[in-house]
């Protein structure tokens, strides 16, 4: 087990170590509110060169504490990601969020290398991209593009911006090419370890905190089934969405979050709800009477809500949305931390 406050990457930058310790401090004061693509687009708008806004700020008067972005398609050399966010613009938004005191979380919905399909094409190929596999060389070329993106994230002083990176997430589900049934647990663990080693030891990426985040659990043993080891993970997470009734969602939180806390405490790692949400938020008081009632005092560092993409696919309120008033009450809770509160945490 790693010593307290140490990171997977022994050459991690000073800023990355600082962020890691700050994440631990956040959890002592409450939990941060996060939003995917918060400043890239929202309901009825998309970021333009001189525009900086978010639906969250429009409603609550502050920006998220945690900003989620996805680098899917960077491996292809494309100019924009799978959600049509230009990578150059993404870098600028990351720089602005970091400069304001926000935390950056990156996911990677990578293409299917063997079929040419999307992340959700489950044609199996993990065994072909790990060392000794026939596709290991082209996969290394993918990782070089990931490394180039990460190394190009610079603050105004020219230092690398630290990020939380959670590749190959929700591996206990079957919907991604790296997921359950599409590779063995041992193949997954090898893929994770080799990815970390190649990025940090060969391609010089030293601004990353590596987060391991399964989907909501069907069985407790699911959490560690694909776990690559303490020396390759810095923080833990879970992705839990409300797909059914409120009662079912609450039951899952009450079952999974204590397990996440137990494992993270044993490993001395911070932990978070790395994806969460209720699509279209049809419950008017969902923020204070459902979500926060379960998350207050849970020990999570943050909860990252998914993106506001279309009129039938959004996870944070926007002006006039039915849960907006409750969201403002949620924002005012002393333990719910937005950008202004997190910025003050040293």
């Amino acid at each position: 087990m790693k010593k307290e406050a140490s990171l997977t990457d022994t050459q991690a930058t000073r800023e990355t170590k600082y962020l890691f310790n700050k994440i631990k401090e956040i959890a002592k004061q409450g939990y941060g509110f996060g939003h995917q693509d918060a400043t890239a687009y929202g309901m009825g708008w998309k970021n333009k060169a001189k525009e900086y806004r978010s639906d969250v700020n429009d409603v609550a008067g502050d920006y998220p504490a945690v900003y989620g972005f996805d680098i899917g398609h960077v491996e292809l050399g494309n100019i924009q990601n799978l959600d049509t966010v230009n990578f150059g613009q993404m870098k600028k938004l990351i720089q602005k969020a970091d400069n304001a005191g926000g935390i950056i979380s990156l996911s990677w919905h990578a293409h299917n290398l063997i079929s040419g399909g999307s992340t959700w094409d489950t044609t199996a190929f993990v065994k072909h991209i790990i060392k000794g596999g026939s596709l290991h060389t082209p996969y290394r070329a993918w990782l070089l593009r990931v490394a180039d993106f990460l190394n190009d994230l610079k603050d105004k002083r020219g230092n690398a911006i630290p990020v939380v990176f959670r590749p190959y997430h929700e591996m206990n589900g079957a919907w991604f090419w790296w997921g359950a049934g599409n590779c063995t647990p041992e193949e997954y663990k090898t893929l994770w370890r080799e990815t970390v080693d190649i990025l940090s030891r060969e391609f010089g990426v030293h601004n990353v905190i590596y987060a391991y985040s399964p989907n909501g659990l069907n069985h407790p043993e699911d959490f560690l089934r694909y776990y690559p080891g303490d020396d390759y993970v810095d923080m833990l997470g879970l992705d839990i969405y409300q797909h059914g009734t409120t009662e079912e969602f609450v039951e899952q939180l009450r079952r999974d979050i204590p397990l996440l806390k137990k494992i993270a405490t044993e490993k001395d790692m911070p932990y978070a709800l790395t994806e969460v949400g209720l699509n279209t938020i049809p419950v008017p008081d969902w923020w204070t009477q459902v979500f926060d009632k379960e998350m207050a005092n849970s020990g999570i560092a943050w909860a990252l809500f998914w993106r506001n993409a279309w009129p039938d696919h959004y996870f944070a309120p926007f002006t006039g949305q039915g849960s907006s008033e409750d969201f403002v009450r949620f924002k005012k809770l002393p333990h719910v931390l937005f950008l202004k509160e997190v910025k003050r945490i040293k």
Side-chain angles (χ1 to χ4, degrees):
M1 185 178 295
K2 300 195 301 291
K3 293 181 181 179
E4 183 179 0
S6 66
L7 289 167
T8 287
D9 180 6
T10 57
Q11 298 183 63
T13 65
R14 180 171 58 92
E15 291 81 9
T16 306
K17 294 175 182 176
Y18 177 86
L19 175 59
F20 185 63
N21 286 320
K22 179 170 180 170
I23 290 169
K24 288 190 170 185
E25 288 301 313
I26 289 171
K28 296 175 184 177
Q29 300 189 31
Y31 63 89
F33 173 86
H35 191 206
Q36 183 75 8
D37 286 340
T39 52
Y41 52 79
M43 296 304 293
W45 63 273
K46 188 169 183 178
N47 189 289
K48 298 175 183 176
K50 296 183 179 179
E51 183 179 34
Y52 191 78
R53 65 179 290 194
S54 80
D55 286 342
V56 168
N57 185 57
D58 288 350
V59 171
D62 198 3
Y63 288 89
V66 179
Y67 297 73
F69 292 97
D70 194 278
I71 60 170
H73 290 189
V74 78
E75 73 279 0
L76 304 177
N78 290 5
I79 63 170
Q80 63 183 26
N81 79 349
L82 75 167
D83 297 319
T84 71
V85 179
N86 178 277
F87 283 115
Q89 183 71 4
M90 186 187 296
K91 290 175 184 177
K92 292 177 182 178
L93 294 175
I94 288 173
Q95 182 185 60
K96 189 151 188 172
D98 173 74
N99 186 60
I103 295 169
I104 310 302
S105 174
L106 298 181
S107 51
W108 181 25
H109 285 86
H111 236 49
N112 188 306
L113 183 55
I114 199 168
S115 71
S118 74
T119 294
W120 293 270
D121 182 332
T122 56
T123 304
F125 72 97
V126 170
K127 64 182 178 182
H128 298 302
I129 61 176
I130 56 182
K131 287 181 181 177
S134 59
L135 296 174
H136 182 63
T137 296
Y139 182 69
R140 284 176 59 87
W142 274 17
L143 289 181
L144 181 57
R145 286 175 172 151
V146 171
D148 287 344
F149 179 88
L150 294 169
N151 284 329
D152 198 39
L153 297 176
K154 303 290 186 182
D155 63 22
K156 292 183 177 179
R157 298 179 299 278
N159 297 319
I161 295 172
V163 300
V164 175
F165 185 37
R166 52 185 199 96
Y168 318 128
H169 63 299
E170 300 175 7
M171 75 299 295
N172 57 320
W175 42 87
F176 297 137
W177 54 254
W178 58 80
N182 307 318
C183 66
T184 68
E186 287 308 312
E187 287 169 348
Y188 179 91
K189 294 173 189 178
T190 299
L191 175 65
W192 181 288
R193 293 169 188 149
E194 289 184 1
T195 297
V196 172
D197 284 342
I198 291 169
L199 288 176
S200 61
R201 298 180 186 179
E202 298 186 41
F203 294 159
V205 175
H206 301 303
N207 57 325
V208 168
I209 294 167
Y210 291 94
Y212 171 85
S213 58
N215 193 58
L217 307 174
N218 291 319
H219 304 286
E221 58 269 23
D222 278 358
F223 191 90
L224 294 176
R225 190 185 307 277
Y226 297 85
Y227 186 66
D230 293 353
D231 290 337
Y232 284 90
V233 174
D234 299 311
M235 69 177 293
L236 303 176
L238 276 173
D239 294 2
I240 302 177
Y241 287 89
Q242 180 176 333
H243 295 296
T245 66
T246 294
E247 291 75 20
E248 290 169 337
F249 178 64
V250 168
E251 181 181 349
Q252 180 150 41
L253 291 176
R254 290 179 180 178
R255 182 178 66 242
D256 288 0
I257 298 301
L259 177 64
L260 172 63
K261 181 176 183 177
K262 179 178 183 293
I263 295 172
T265 301
E266 290 172 352
K267 297 181 179 300
D268 190 31
M269 292 182 184
Y271 55 101
L273 264 178
T274 39
E275 285 184 35
V276 67
L278 170 62
N279 189 26
T280 71
I281 327 162
V283 181
D285 59 357
W286 188 84
W287 299 99
T288 60
Q289 299 306 305
V290 179
F291 185 74
D292 183 70
K293 278 197 171 182
E294 300 305 319
M295 289 300 100
N297 302 312
S298 66
I300 61 170
W302 65 74
L304 178 74
F305 290 82
W306 207 237
R307 63 199 193 108
N308 284 12
W310 311 293
D312 62 349
H313 186 77
Y314 61 86
F315 294 85
F318 49 89
T319 302
Q321 197 273 332
S323 73
S324 294
E325 290 184 7
D326 189 58
F327 187 75
V328 173
R329 290 190 288 269
F330 169 74
K331 192 262 178 190
K332 291 179 179 177
L333 293 171
H335 57 273
V336 177
L337 312 175
F338 280 64
L339 182 61
K340 290 175 184 175
E341 291 86 14
V342 165
K343 184 178 182 179
R344 290 194 290 263
I345 297 175
K346 303 298 183 183

